[in-house]
């Protein structure tokens, strides 16, 4: 497996950066990308993976790992839409004028032209720089007299009409606050931050989509327990996906131990991924009626998603509300990961290297790196909790 491969066909003028290249038994590489999307039926996904297939010049379908844990294949049925897109891009490149473009955080922040385009967007105070403002909303906002972020920040939300992708009082009010936060660089509190009382344990999982099994394999269930120092990191680990069920059962046992220790347990995590993974494991092993599963997913669940109060109560000077963007921001949580290059895909790659390694020292080192990354993730959610309490709950 090659992580973050770089493919280039100079004659065709094509480049592609698949998340993974997987070598099959015939010696052919297959491209694979991880997406947050729940469906592969999106033109941009088809075109992106279609371009990878063109660059690899073999018959292998590309794989897309979807946000819900499923996999889909992108094959020759997407050749037509891919070729049409490439034709349109070639005709665009043949013009001498730079085309008009809107900022899109998910697309621009990973684009090689980011450093070229971003200053122009900033100078123009392009509205789609703001979290929650889609580029497709901008023409209608401009027609309503809101040309820049400064214009939006000064607007009365009640006077802004519904426009495509920005409809309703709540979203419009939030957009105005987002503009104000962008300009001031400060967090704006919209409502009281409410965090549940109890003994908090911070929880994060690492899973491997590259398995032979039907679903992702969670190789690490990580926890930061009181007193929240680096020595208070605990985990359930499995060496390979054959131990998938054993790891899941041990995770449930660990939860029961925490429940005994802390009857008022709060299991804090960031985003819906942890809860949805527990749900999919309970269905994978037909354990929806297991007492611990019912405890975890029932009405009195100890699971608490920290992302929710953050989005509900605060407007932050960030372009995405991901854990890293908020925690690394020097004026917000200001927590830095030990390894700046680490991330969930990085962890998947280290785990697959661990699976392939035969040298015990190499395996030990790789495992230590993966554990270190997960420990930083749960420490980050702890720091986020502390920051929320200190800044917004006093
Ligand atoms: S950085 Fe520029 S070239 Fe890249 S996606 Fe954004 S607007 Fe397009």
């Amino acid at each position: 497996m090659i992580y973050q491969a770089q493919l280039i066909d100079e004659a065709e003028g094509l480049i592609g950066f698949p998340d993974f290249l997987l070598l099959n038994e015939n010696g052919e590489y297959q491209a694979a990308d991880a997406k947050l999307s729940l469906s592969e039926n999106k033109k941009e996904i088809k075109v992106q993976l279609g371009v990878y297939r063109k660059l690899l010049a073999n018959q292998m379908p590309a794989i897309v790992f979807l946000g819900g844990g499923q996999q889909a294949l992108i094959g020759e049925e997407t050749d037509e839409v891919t070729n049409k897109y490439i034709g349109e891009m070639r005709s665009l490149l043949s013009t001498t004028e730079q085309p008009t473009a809107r900022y899109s955080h998910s697309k621009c922040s990973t684009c090689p032209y980011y450093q070229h385009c971003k200053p122009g967007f900033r100078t123009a105070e392009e509205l789609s720089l703001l979290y929650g403002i889609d580029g497709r909303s901008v023409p209608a906002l401009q027609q309503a007299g809101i040309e820049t972020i400064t214009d939006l920040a000064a607007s009365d939300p009640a006077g802004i009409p519904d426009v495509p992708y920005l409809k309703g009082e709540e979203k419009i009010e939030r957009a105005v606050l987002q503009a104000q936060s962008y300009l001031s660089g400060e967090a704006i509190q919209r409502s009281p931050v409410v965090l549940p009382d109890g003994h908090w344990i911070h929880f994060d999982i690492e899973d491997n989509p590259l398995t032979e099994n039907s679903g992702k394999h969670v190789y690490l269930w990580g926890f930061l327990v009181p007193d929240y120092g680096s020595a208070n990191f605990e985990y359930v680990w499995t060496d390979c996906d054959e131990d998938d069920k054993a790891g899941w059962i041990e995770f449930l046992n660990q939860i029961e131990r925490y429940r005994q220790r802390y009857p008022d347990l709060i299991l804090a995590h960031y985003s819906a991924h942890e809860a949805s993974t527990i749900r999919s494991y309970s269905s994978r092993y037909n354990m929806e009626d297991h007492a611990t599963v019912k405890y975890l997913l029932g009405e009195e669940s100890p699971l608490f998603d920290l992302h929710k109060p953050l989005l509900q109560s605060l407007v932050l000077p960030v372009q995405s509300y991901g854990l890293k963007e908020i925690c690394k921001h020097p004026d917000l949580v200001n927590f830095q990961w030990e390894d700046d290059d680490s991330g969930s895909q990085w962890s998947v790659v280290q785990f697959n290297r661990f699976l392939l390694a035969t040298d015990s020292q190499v395996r030990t080192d790789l495992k230590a790196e993966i554990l270190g990354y997960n420990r930083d993730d749960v420490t980050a959610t702890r720091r986020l909790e502390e920051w929320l309490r200190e800044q917004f709950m006093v």
Side-chain angles (χ1 to χ4, degrees):
M1 180 179 63
I2 297 173
Y3 174 49
Q4 292 186 337
Q6 302 195 2
L7 302 172
I8 183 162
D9 182 335
E10 286 185 12
E12 288 287 315
L14 293 177
I15 56 168
F17 304 136
D19 292 337
F20 306 102
L21 281 184
L22 310 172
L23 188 64
N24 71 12
E25 58 274 13
N26 300 325
E28 293 173 312
Y29 276 108
Q30 186 172 22
D33 251 25
K35 301 286 179 202
L36 290 174
S37 169
L38 300 177
S39 164
E40 74 280 19
N41 291 321
K42 289 188 171 174
K43 184 183 162 198
E44 60 265 35
I45 293 180
K46 290 179 180 175
V47 168
Q48 188 180 8
L49 278 85
V51 170
Y52 299 159
R53 288 189 67 248
K54 256 185 126 49
L55 282 158
L56 289 166
N58 61 32
Q59 296 306 307
M60 299 293 294
I63 304 171
V64 51
F65 300 116
L66 296 165
Q70 286 81 27
Q71 294 185 15
L73 295 176
I74 302 280
E76 61 186 9
E77 71 287 353
T78 60
D79 287 353
E80 192 181 333
V81 66
T82 305
N83 290 335
K84 183 166 179 284
Y85 175 84
I86 291 171
E88 287 166 1
M89 287 301 111
R90 285 196 173 124
S91 114
L92 197 61
L93 281 168
S94 67
T95 63
T96 50
E97 292 281 304
Q98 181 169 311
T100 309
R102 300 274 171 222
Y103 183 78
S104 155
H105 189 61
S106 61
K107 294 187 178 84
C108 296
S109 58
T110 55
C111 173
Y113 293 98
Y114 182 71
Q115 296 304 338
H116 169 79
C117 296
K118 186 91 187 257
F121 288 133
R122 282 196 175 279
T123 308
E125 286 197 19
E126 160 72 26
L127 288 161
S128 58
L129 282 170
L130 298 174
Y131 172 82
I133 302 236
D134 190 291
R136 291 167 290 186
S137 309
V138 175
L141 286 171
Q142 289 175 330
Q143 270 180 11
I146 301 167
E147 301 269 349
T148 64
I149 294 174
T150 300
D151 292 342
L152 182 59
S155 299
D156 175 1
I160 301 175
D162 279 355
V163 298
Y165 304 95
L166 187 64
K167 291 185 165 64
E169 212 175 300
E170 152 87 21
K171 279 191 179 170
I172 291 173
E173 189 205 322
R174 187 173 180 106
V176 171
L177 293 174
Q178 200 64 60
Q180 292 169 357
S181 176
Y182 176 93
L183 294 175
S184 69
E186 287 175 8
I188 297 173
Q189 184 161 7
R190 302 173 72 206
S191 59
V193 173
V194 180
L195 300 180
D197 291 330
H199 279 88
W200 283 51
I201 288 182
H202 291 263
F203 169 48
D204 182 56
I205 60 173
E206 307 297 336
D207 51 23
N208 180 22
L210 310 172
T211 67
E212 303 285 310
N213 296 329
S214 52
K216 291 180 180 181
H217 162 57
V218 177
Y219 50 92
L220 175 56
W221 312 77
F223 309 93
L224 188 70
V225 306
D227 299 323
Y228 311 111
S230 56
N232 303 116
F233 175 62
E234 299 180 352
Y235 59 87
V236 173
W237 169 274
T238 40
D239 272 351
C240 56
D241 64 3
E242 283 82 44
D243 293 342
D244 188 66
K245 187 170 185 184
W248 159 244
I249 299 292
E250 184 48 27
F251 161 71
L252 295 177
N253 292 339
Q254 184 79 350
I255 293 298
E256 280 305 324
R257 286 191 282 272
Y258 291 145
R259 188 181 179 186
Q260 297 301 317
R261 201 185 308 167
Y262 305 118
D264 58 352
L265 175 67
I266 305 295
L267 211 49
H269 54 99
Y270 197 85
S271 88
H273 184 55
E274 277 67 23
S276 67
T277 299
I278 292 170
R279 201 165 289 114
S280 69
Y281 262 77
S282 67
S283 117
R284 184 181 303 172
Y285 294 115
N286 255 330
M287 290 173 68
E288 288 94 338
D289 291 331
H290 187 281
T292 314
V293 171
K294 283 182 147 179
Y295 164 66
L296 285 168
L297 300 178
E299 282 187 8
E300 304 290 313
S301 171
L303 289 167
F304 180 70
D305 181 359
L306 265 169
H307 186 238
K308 286 187 181 164
L310 204 80
L311 261 188
Q312 263 161 18
S313 303
L314 302 177
V315 176
L316 303 176
V318 290
Q319 289 178 307
S320 95
Y321 281 67
L323 180 66
K324 284 208 163 144
E325 184 143 0
I326 292 165
C327 287
K328 284 183 170 185
H329 196 301
D331 298 328
L332 302 176
V333 181
N334 194 17
F335 170 78
Q336 310 306 325
W337 274 249
E338 244 172 57
D339 183 347
D340 207 32
D341 293 333
S342 60
S344 51
Q345 286 183 13
W346 170 94
S347 179
V348 169
V349 173
Q350 304 314 311
F351 182 69
N352 280 276
R353 288 177 61 205
F354 171 89
L355 291 177
L356 294 172
T358 46
D359 184 306
S360 65
Q361 188 56 50
V362 171
R363 281 168 69 84
T364 304
D365 291 348
L366 286 165
K367 182 174 172 180
E369 282 183 36
I370 297 167
L371 291 175
Y373 164 64
N374 186 260
R375 189 192 60 231
D376 273 359
D377 267 3
V378 285
T379 306
T381 59
R382 168 65 182 169
R383 295 280 185 276
L384 176 60
E385 179 209 341
E386 289 175 327
W387 179 74
L388 288 172
R389 290 187 191 282
E390 279 161 19
Q391 301 291 322
F392 305 103
M393 296 179 72
V394 283

